[in-house]
Amino acid sequence: MAKNSRRKRLSENKRLFSESSYKYRNPDEDVPAIMLVNVTKDYSSKNNGETNSLKEVNITIKKGEFVFVIGDSGAGKSTLLKLLMREISPTKGKVYVNGKNLKRLKHNQVAKHRRNVGMVFQDFRLLKDRSVYENVAFAMQIVEKEPKVIKETVPKMLDIVGLADKEKAFPRELSGGEQQMLAMGRALMSRPKLLMLDEPSMGLAPILIEEIFQIIRQLGDAGTTILLVEQNANMALKVADRTYVLELGKVAKHGTGQELLHDDDVRKAYLGA
């Protein structure tokens, strides 16, 4: 019964994600969604205990692409996401999102930038004192959506992520998988043109991992730009358009998902082959 319910929900998700509200048509298609130009981030001068950094990294992600970033712990993956959220600035080089140099953003522009990017954090960052419904609704409240729109949209999103029967529960009452799905639902509420995910399948049961990747792939098919940082290399390489391999802060390899899926070095390092 549960398996049939999941299949029905995934089928419904595909229909919802194919609706026009999820499709983006930007007249300036030549401007990349993400571009890092000779980016270096060095923590050593601050002596704050962090060791991971980026060294002369160049990454370009076109609008509507699904890009996967893989690398061992300390390779610079978290630093990359922090740069794109403007939580930190590069030591050298430039970081652009939708053509905007993030280092030049003023304080109020940084807040707006973060609201326009869907981000699923590894530690979820859920609002512990708010219910499931309120956590998801919050993403629309901060962009000042009308209460009527929020009331209509939240139940649909909770259904998409399989939490329709948990709307009154609090994060502490959810399993790890349910908390991850809640974080996903909150990130999707603002219909982001750019969605970034940090290890969304970590610690989840295989059936939930499959469901999360189904949602991600459907969003990508509908035109959302996706940047996925993920340890489940086998599944991610199968669905990603392109992949970057980070090693010791540098781009060691890049290519299509299928190319790297059959790359001997990648298979040995990340697929156990």
Side-chain angles (χ1 to χ4, degrees):
M1 182 69 73
K3 189 173 182 180
N4 290 335
S5 176
R6 288 190 181 92
R7 285 177 177 173
K8 182 179 179 181
R9 185 164 68 248
L10 290 173
S11 177
E12 176 66 8
N13 292 353
K14 187 173 182 179
R15 183 188 67 79
L16 288 169
F17 292 141
S18 67
E19 292 176 355
S20 59
S21 61
Y22 269 94
K23 292 186 177 180
Y24 305 105
R25 296 292 181 267
N26 192 313
D28 193 359
E29 293 293 342
D30 292 334
V31 177
I34 290 173
M35 186 165 66
L36 279 71
V37 182
N38 297 323
V39 169
T40 294
K41 179 60 183 178
D42 184 2
Y43 291 107
S44 60
S45 61
K46 292 187 177 181
N47 194 29
N48 59 4
E50 297 191 63
T51 57
N52 55 331
S53 60
L54 297 178
K55 303 171 185 177
E56 298 182 352
V57 167
N58 290 280
I59 292 176
T60 300
I61 301 176
K62 298 177 182 178
K63 288 184 173 71
E65 273 197 306
F66 181 170
V67 173
F68 169 44
V69 174
I70 189 173
D72 291 332
S73 178
K77 304 186 302 297
S78 295
T79 296
L80 171 63
L81 293 176
K82 288 178 181 179
L83 286 167
L84 293 171
M85 289 298 289
R86 239 309 289 273
E87 292 185 4
I88 58 176
S89 294
T91 307
K92 297 178 182 178
K94 297 178 181 179
V95 179
Y96 297 91
V97 174
N98 292 323
K100 295 182 179 179
N101 185 338
L102 297 191
K103 195 169 185 178
R104 294 182 178 178
L105 295 183
K106 297 179 180 178
H107 181 73
N108 64 323
Q109 293 174 316
V110 170
K112 183 178 180 181
H113 162 68
R114 290 173 181 167
R115 289 196 297 267
N116 290 331
V117 175
M119 179 70 207
V120 179
F121 296 95
Q122 190 176 139
D123 58 359
F124 307 144
R125 300 193 188 183
L126 300 173
L127 303 173
K128 297 179 180 180
D129 60 343
R130 301 195 187 191
S131 68
V132 166
Y133 182 99
E134 292 168 332
N135 263 273
V136 174
F138 180 73
M140 296 190 79
Q141 291 168 348
I142 61 174
V143 293
E144 301 180 347
K145 292 291 185 181
E146 295 181 3
K148 181 181 178 181
V149 175
I150 295 175
K151 188 175 181 179
E152 291 175 350
T153 309
V154 171
K156 294 179 181 178
M157 183 56 65
L158 291 179
D159 188 52
I160 287 174
V161 297
L163 295 175
D165 60 341
K166 301 276 188 177
E167 66 174 30
K168 295 182 179 180
F170 287 84
R172 65 178 179 275
E173 300 172 308
L174 303 178
S175 67
E178 289 170 335
Q179 289 183 32
Q180 182 63 282
M181 298 304 278
L182 176 56
M184 178 84 74
R186 186 179 61 182
L188 298 179
M189 275 300 289
S190 60
R191 300 294 196 268
K193 296 181 181 180
L194 170 61
L195 176 65
M196 301 193 299
L197 305 103
D198 188 6
E199 306 283 5
S201 74
M202 181 177 287
L204 300 186
I207 195 165
L208 282 177
I209 293 174
E210 181 181 351
E211 191 161 334
I212 282 179
F213 272 89
Q214 284 273 10
I215 292 175
I216 294 170
R217 181 69 268 179
Q218 288 161 1
L219 284 165
D221 289 343
T224 305
T225 304
I226 296 173
L227 175 60
L228 172 67
V229 171
E230 174 60 55
Q231 289 288 346
N232 194 326
N234 186 48
M235 188 169 288
L237 286 169
K238 288 178 180 178
V239 298
D241 297 320
R242 291 190 304 114
T243 297
Y244 286 88
V245 179
L246 289 181
E247 293 182 357
L248 301 176
K250 296 182 178 181
V251 175
K253 290 179 180 286
H254 66 91
T256 68
Q258 287 300 313
E259 286 172 349
L260 294 190
L261 186 63
H262 297 94
D263 182 280
D264 289 341
D265 293 335
V266 171
R267 289 177 61 80
K268 182 178 180 180
Y270 303 106
L271 301 178

PDB file of all heavy atoms in Angstrom, residues 43 50 52 54 69 74-84 87-88 122 198-199 229 246:
ATOM      1  N   TYR A  43      41.271  30.200   3.971  1.00  0.00           N
ATOM      2  CA  TYR A  43      40.907  30.455   5.368  1.00  0.00           C
ATOM      3  C   TYR A  43      42.117  30.650   6.272  1.00  0.00           C
ATOM      4  O   TYR A  43      41.973  31.042   7.426  1.00  0.00           O
ATOM      5  CB  TYR A  43      40.108  29.273   5.931  1.00  0.00           C
ATOM      6  CG  TYR A  43      38.725  29.102   5.345  1.00  0.00           C
ATOM      7  CD1 TYR A  43      38.465  28.069   4.461  1.00  0.00           C
ATOM      8  CD2 TYR A  43      37.689  29.950   5.700  1.00  0.00           C
ATOM      9  CE1 TYR A  43      37.195  27.895   3.929  1.00  0.00           C
ATOM     10  CE2 TYR A  43      36.413  29.775   5.189  1.00  0.00           C
ATOM     11  CZ  TYR A  43      36.174  28.745   4.297  1.00  0.00           C
ATOM     12  OH  TYR A  43      34.923  28.569   3.780  1.00  0.00           O
ATOM     13  N   GLU A  50      39.050  26.272  10.153  1.00  0.00           N
ATOM     14  CA  GLU A  50      38.559  25.682   8.913  1.00  0.00           C
ATOM     15  C   GLU A  50      39.739  25.481   7.959  1.00  0.00           C
ATOM     16  O   GLU A  50      40.595  26.329   7.810  1.00  0.00           O
ATOM     17  CB  GLU A  50      37.501  26.575   8.266  1.00  0.00           C
ATOM     18  CG  GLU A  50      36.255  26.740   9.123  1.00  0.00           C
ATOM     19  CD  GLU A  50      35.146  27.406   8.342  1.00  0.00           C
ATOM     20  OE1 GLU A  50      34.684  26.819   7.340  1.00  0.00           O
ATOM     21  OE2 GLU A  50      34.741  28.503   8.729  1.00  0.00           O
ATOM     22  N   ASN A  52      39.245  23.684   4.687  1.00  0.00           N
ATOM     23  CA  ASN A  52      38.894  23.541   3.271  1.00  0.00           C
ATOM     24  C   ASN A  52      38.893  24.894   2.580  1.00  0.00           C
ATOM     25  O   ASN A  52      38.541  25.915   3.141  1.00  0.00           O
ATOM     26  CB  ASN A  52      37.539  22.853   3.093  1.00  0.00           C
ATOM     27  CG  ASN A  52      36.415  23.541   3.837  1.00  0.00           C
ATOM     28  OD1 ASN A  52      36.649  24.165   4.849  1.00  0.00           O
ATOM     29  ND2 ASN A  52      35.212  23.412   3.338  1.00  0.00           N
ATOM     30  N   LEU A  54      39.138  26.810  -1.737  1.00  0.00           N
ATOM     31  CA  LEU A  54      39.093  26.658  -3.185  1.00  0.00           C
ATOM     32  C   LEU A  54      40.289  27.370  -3.790  1.00  0.00           C
ATOM     33  O   LEU A  54      40.705  28.418  -3.301  1.00  0.00           O
ATOM     34  CB  LEU A  54      37.791  27.238  -3.747  1.00  0.00           C
ATOM     35  CG  LEU A  54      36.498  26.566  -3.288  1.00  0.00           C
ATOM     36  CD1 LEU A  54      35.290  27.282  -3.879  1.00  0.00           C
ATOM     37  CD2 LEU A  54      36.470  25.097  -3.683  1.00  0.00           C
ATOM     38  N   VAL A  69      28.200  18.125  -8.058  1.00  0.00           N
ATOM     39  CA  VAL A  69      29.569  18.360  -7.580  1.00  0.00           C
ATOM     40  C   VAL A  69      29.915  17.264  -6.578  1.00  0.00           C
ATOM     41  O   VAL A  69      29.182  17.029  -5.619  1.00  0.00           O
ATOM     42  CB  VAL A  69      29.713  19.746  -6.912  1.00  0.00           C
ATOM     43  CG1 VAL A  69      31.110  19.892  -6.309  1.00  0.00           C
ATOM     44  CG2 VAL A  69      29.462  20.849  -7.922  1.00  0.00           C
ATOM     45  N   GLY A  74      36.541  17.980   2.807  1.00  0.00           N
ATOM     46  CA  GLY A  74      37.646  18.923   2.733  1.00  0.00           C
ATOM     47  C   GLY A  74      38.000  19.347   1.325  1.00  0.00           C
ATOM     48  O   GLY A  74      38.935  20.119   1.125  1.00  0.00           O
ATOM     49  N   ALA A  75      37.238  18.864   0.340  1.00  0.00           N
ATOM     50  CA  ALA A  75      37.553  19.194  -1.059  1.00  0.00           C
ATOM     51  C   ALA A  75      37.137  20.606  -1.431  1.00  0.00           C
ATOM     52  O   ALA A  75      37.602  21.158  -2.424  1.00  0.00           O
ATOM     53  CB  ALA A  75      36.876  18.190  -1.999  1.00  0.00           C
ATOM     54  N   GLY A  76      36.231  21.195  -0.635  1.00  0.00           N
ATOM     55  CA  GLY A  76      35.784  22.560  -0.914  1.00  0.00           C
ATOM     56  C   GLY A  76      34.320  22.679  -1.294  1.00  0.00           C
ATOM     57  O   GLY A  76      33.853  23.749  -1.686  1.00  0.00           O
ATOM     58  N   LYS A  77      33.561  21.598  -1.162  1.00  0.00           N
ATOM     59  CA  LYS A  77      32.150  21.608  -1.567  1.00  0.00           C
ATOM     60  C   LYS A  77      31.326  22.573  -0.724  1.00  0.00           C
ATOM     61  O   LYS A  77      30.524  23.358  -1.253  1.00  0.00           O
ATOM     62  CB  LYS A  77      31.554  20.201  -1.470  1.00  0.00           C
ATOM     63  CG  LYS A  77      32.311  19.144  -2.262  1.00  0.00           C
ATOM     64  CD  LYS A  77      31.607  17.801  -2.251  1.00  0.00           C
ATOM     65  CE  LYS A  77      31.382  17.232  -0.872  1.00  0.00           C
ATOM     66  NZ  LYS A  77      32.634  16.952  -0.149  1.00  0.00           N
ATOM     67  N   SER A  78      31.494  22.526   0.589  1.00  0.00           N
ATOM     68  CA  SER A  78      30.734  23.427   1.471  1.00  0.00           C
ATOM     69  C   SER A  78      31.132  24.874   1.252  1.00  0.00           C
ATOM     70  O   SER A  78      30.297  25.778   1.291  1.00  0.00           O
ATOM     71  CB  SER A  78      30.953  23.034   2.942  1.00  0.00           C
ATOM     72  OG  SER A  78      30.413  21.758   3.204  1.00  0.00           O
ATOM     73  N   THR A  79      32.414  25.106   1.002  1.00  0.00           N
ATOM     74  CA  THR A  79      32.880  26.458   0.707  1.00  0.00           C
ATOM     75  C   THR A  79      32.213  26.991  -0.550  1.00  0.00           C
ATOM     76  O   THR A  79      31.799  28.154  -0.614  1.00  0.00           O
ATOM     77  CB  THR A  79      34.412  26.467   0.534  1.00  0.00           C
ATOM     78  OG1 THR A  79      35.024  26.092   1.769  1.00  0.00           O
ATOM     79  CG2 THR A  79      34.915  27.840   0.125  1.00  0.00           C
ATOM     80  N   LEU A  80      32.078  26.141  -1.554  1.00  0.00           N
ATOM     81  CA  LEU A  80      31.418  26.531  -2.798  1.00  0.00           C
ATOM     82  C   LEU A  80      29.989  26.994  -2.536  1.00  0.00           C
ATOM     83  O   LEU A  80      29.568  28.051  -3.020  1.00  0.00           O
ATOM     84  CB  LEU A  80      31.419  25.343  -3.769  1.00  0.00           C
ATOM     85  CG  LEU A  80      30.583  25.510  -5.046  1.00  0.00           C
ATOM     86  CD1 LEU A  80      31.130  26.642  -5.904  1.00  0.00           C
ATOM     87  CD2 LEU A  80      30.569  24.196  -5.829  1.00  0.00           C
ATOM     88  N   LEU A  81      29.234  26.240  -1.755  1.00  0.00           N
ATOM     89  CA  LEU A  81      27.845  26.597  -1.466  1.00  0.00           C
ATOM     90  C   LEU A  81      27.766  27.890  -0.648  1.00  0.00           C
ATOM     91  O   LEU A  81      26.892  28.727  -0.879  1.00  0.00           O
ATOM     92  CB  LEU A  81      27.151  25.455  -0.724  1.00  0.00           C
ATOM     93  CG  LEU A  81      26.952  24.168  -1.534  1.00  0.00           C
ATOM     94  CD1 LEU A  81      26.353  23.077  -0.654  1.00  0.00           C
ATOM     95  CD2 LEU A  81      26.073  24.421  -2.745  1.00  0.00           C
ATOM     96  N   LYS A  82      28.675  28.057   0.300  1.00  0.00           N
ATOM     97  CA  LYS A  82      28.686  29.281   1.108  1.00  0.00           C
ATOM     98  C   LYS A  82      28.967  30.509   0.250  1.00  0.00           C
ATOM     99  O   LYS A  82      28.388  31.580   0.471  1.00  0.00           O
ATOM    100  CB  LYS A  82      29.729  29.169   2.229  1.00  0.00           C
ATOM    101  CG  LYS A  82      29.345  28.207   3.337  1.00  0.00           C
ATOM    102  CD  LYS A  82      30.448  28.119   4.394  1.00  0.00           C
ATOM    103  CE  LYS A  82      30.072  27.146   5.495  1.00  0.00           C
ATOM    104  NZ  LYS A  82      31.146  27.031   6.527  1.00  0.00           N
ATOM    105  N   LEU A  83      29.846  30.360  -0.720  1.00  0.00           N
ATOM    106  CA  LEU A  83      30.138  31.465  -1.640  1.00  0.00           C
ATOM    107  C   LEU A  83      28.900  31.830  -2.446  1.00  0.00           C
ATOM    108  O   LEU A  83      28.587  33.009  -2.641  1.00  0.00           O
ATOM    109  CB  LEU A  83      31.274  31.085  -2.579  1.00  0.00           C
ATOM    110  CG  LEU A  83      32.684  31.052  -1.986  1.00  0.00           C
ATOM    111  CD1 LEU A  83      33.643  30.359  -2.946  1.00  0.00           C
ATOM    112  CD2 LEU A  83      33.177  32.470  -1.685  1.00  0.00           C
ATOM    113  N   LEU A  84      28.174  30.828  -2.908  1.00  0.00           N
ATOM    114  CA  LEU A  84      27.000  31.070  -3.742  1.00  0.00           C
ATOM    115  C   LEU A  84      25.833  31.643  -2.947  1.00  0.00           C
ATOM    116  O   LEU A  84      24.971  32.314  -3.506  1.00  0.00           O
ATOM    117  CB  LEU A  84      26.584  29.772  -4.440  1.00  0.00           C
ATOM    118  CG  LEU A  84      27.582  29.263  -5.485  1.00  0.00           C
ATOM    119  CD1 LEU A  84      27.207  27.865  -5.955  1.00  0.00           C
ATOM    120  CD2 LEU A  84      27.648  30.224  -6.672  1.00  0.00           C
ATOM    121  N   GLU A  87      27.418  33.785   2.031  1.00  0.00           N
ATOM    122  CA  GLU A  87      27.726  33.701   3.461  1.00  0.00           C
ATOM    123  C   GLU A  87      29.183  34.085   3.683  1.00  0.00           C
ATOM    124  O   GLU A  87      29.562  34.526   4.769  1.00  0.00           O
ATOM    125  CB  GLU A  87      27.459  32.288   3.988  1.00  0.00           C
ATOM    126  CG  GLU A  87      25.979  31.911   3.998  1.00  0.00           C
ATOM    127  CD  GLU A  87      25.740  30.553   4.631  1.00  0.00           C
ATOM    128  OE1 GLU A  87      26.699  29.929   5.125  1.00  0.00           O
ATOM    129  OE2 GLU A  87      24.575  30.119   4.641  1.00  0.00           O
ATOM    130  N   ILE A  88      29.992  33.879   2.653  1.00  0.00           N
ATOM    131  CA  ILE A  88      31.397  34.284   2.655  1.00  0.00           C
ATOM    132  C   ILE A  88      31.705  34.870   1.285  1.00  0.00           C
ATOM    133  O   ILE A  88      30.932  34.719   0.338  1.00  0.00           O
ATOM    134  CB  ILE A  88      32.345  33.096   2.941  1.00  0.00           C
ATOM    135  CG1 ILE A  88      32.133  31.984   1.898  1.00  0.00           C
ATOM    136  CG2 ILE A  88      32.160  32.575   4.363  1.00  0.00           C
ATOM    137  CD1 ILE A  88      33.092  30.812   2.036  1.00  0.00           C
ATOM    138  N   GLN A 122      22.540  20.729   4.644  1.00  0.00           N
ATOM    139  CA  GLN A 122      22.844  19.419   5.192  1.00  0.00           C
ATOM    140  C   GLN A 122      22.278  19.271   6.608  1.00  0.00           C
ATOM    141  O   GLN A 122      21.845  18.183   7.003  1.00  0.00           O
ATOM    142  CB  GLN A 122      24.356  19.213   5.197  1.00  0.00           C
ATOM    143  CG  GLN A 122      24.783  17.811   5.525  1.00  0.00           C
ATOM    144  CD  GLN A 122      26.284  17.629   5.420  1.00  0.00           C
ATOM    145  OE1 GLN A 122      26.889  16.968   6.264  1.00  0.00           O
ATOM    146  NE2 GLN A 122      26.903  18.193   4.412  1.00  0.00           N
ATOM    147  N   ASP A 198      22.632  20.331  -0.458  1.00  0.00           N
ATOM    148  CA  ASP A 198      23.853  19.865   0.185  1.00  0.00           C
ATOM    149  C   ASP A 198      23.596  18.506   0.825  1.00  0.00           C
ATOM    150  O   ASP A 198      22.963  18.418   1.878  1.00  0.00           O
ATOM    151  CB  ASP A 198      24.294  20.887   1.240  1.00  0.00           C
ATOM    152  CG  ASP A 198      25.664  20.558   1.826  1.00  0.00           C
ATOM    153  OD1 ASP A 198      26.318  19.618   1.336  1.00  0.00           O
ATOM    154  OD2 ASP A 198      26.086  21.251   2.770  1.00  0.00           O
ATOM    155  N   GLU A 199      24.066  17.449   0.183  1.00  0.00           N
ATOM    156  CA  GLU A 199      23.942  16.073   0.671  1.00  0.00           C
ATOM    157  C   GLU A 199      22.502  15.711   1.057  1.00  0.00           C
ATOM    158  O   GLU A 199      22.234  15.277   2.184  1.00  0.00           O
ATOM    159  CB  GLU A 199      24.853  15.875   1.897  1.00  0.00           C
ATOM    160  CG  GLU A 199      26.298  16.250   1.682  1.00  0.00           C
ATOM    161  CD  GLU A 199      27.073  15.203   0.879  1.00  0.00           C
ATOM    162  OE1 GLU A 199      26.455  14.245   0.418  1.00  0.00           O
ATOM    163  OE2 GLU A 199      28.287  15.379   0.715  1.00  0.00           O
ATOM    164  N   VAL A 229      25.246  18.860  -4.392  1.00  0.00           N
ATOM    165  CA  VAL A 229      26.438  18.328  -3.736  1.00  0.00           C
ATOM    166  C   VAL A 229      25.990  17.050  -3.035  1.00  0.00           C
ATOM    167  O   VAL A 229      25.094  17.086  -2.192  1.00  0.00           O
ATOM    168  CB  VAL A 229      27.009  19.334  -2.717  1.00  0.00           C
ATOM    169  CG1 VAL A 229      28.104  18.681  -1.886  1.00  0.00           C
ATOM    170  CG2 VAL A 229      27.556  20.560  -3.431  1.00  0.00           C
ATOM    171  N   LEU A 246      35.765  17.882  -7.372  1.00  0.00           N
ATOM    172  CA  LEU A 246      36.670  18.732  -6.605  1.00  0.00           C
ATOM    173  C   LEU A 246      37.636  17.874  -5.806  1.00  0.00           C
ATOM    174  O   LEU A 246      37.220  16.933  -5.121  1.00  0.00           O
ATOM    175  CB  LEU A 246      35.888  19.633  -5.639  1.00  0.00           C
ATOM    176  CG  LEU A 246      35.065  20.779  -6.220  1.00  0.00           C
ATOM    177  CD1 LEU A 246      34.382  21.562  -5.102  1.00  0.00           C
ATOM    178  CD2 LEU A 246      35.927  21.713  -7.058  1.00  0.00           C
TER     179      LEU A 246
END
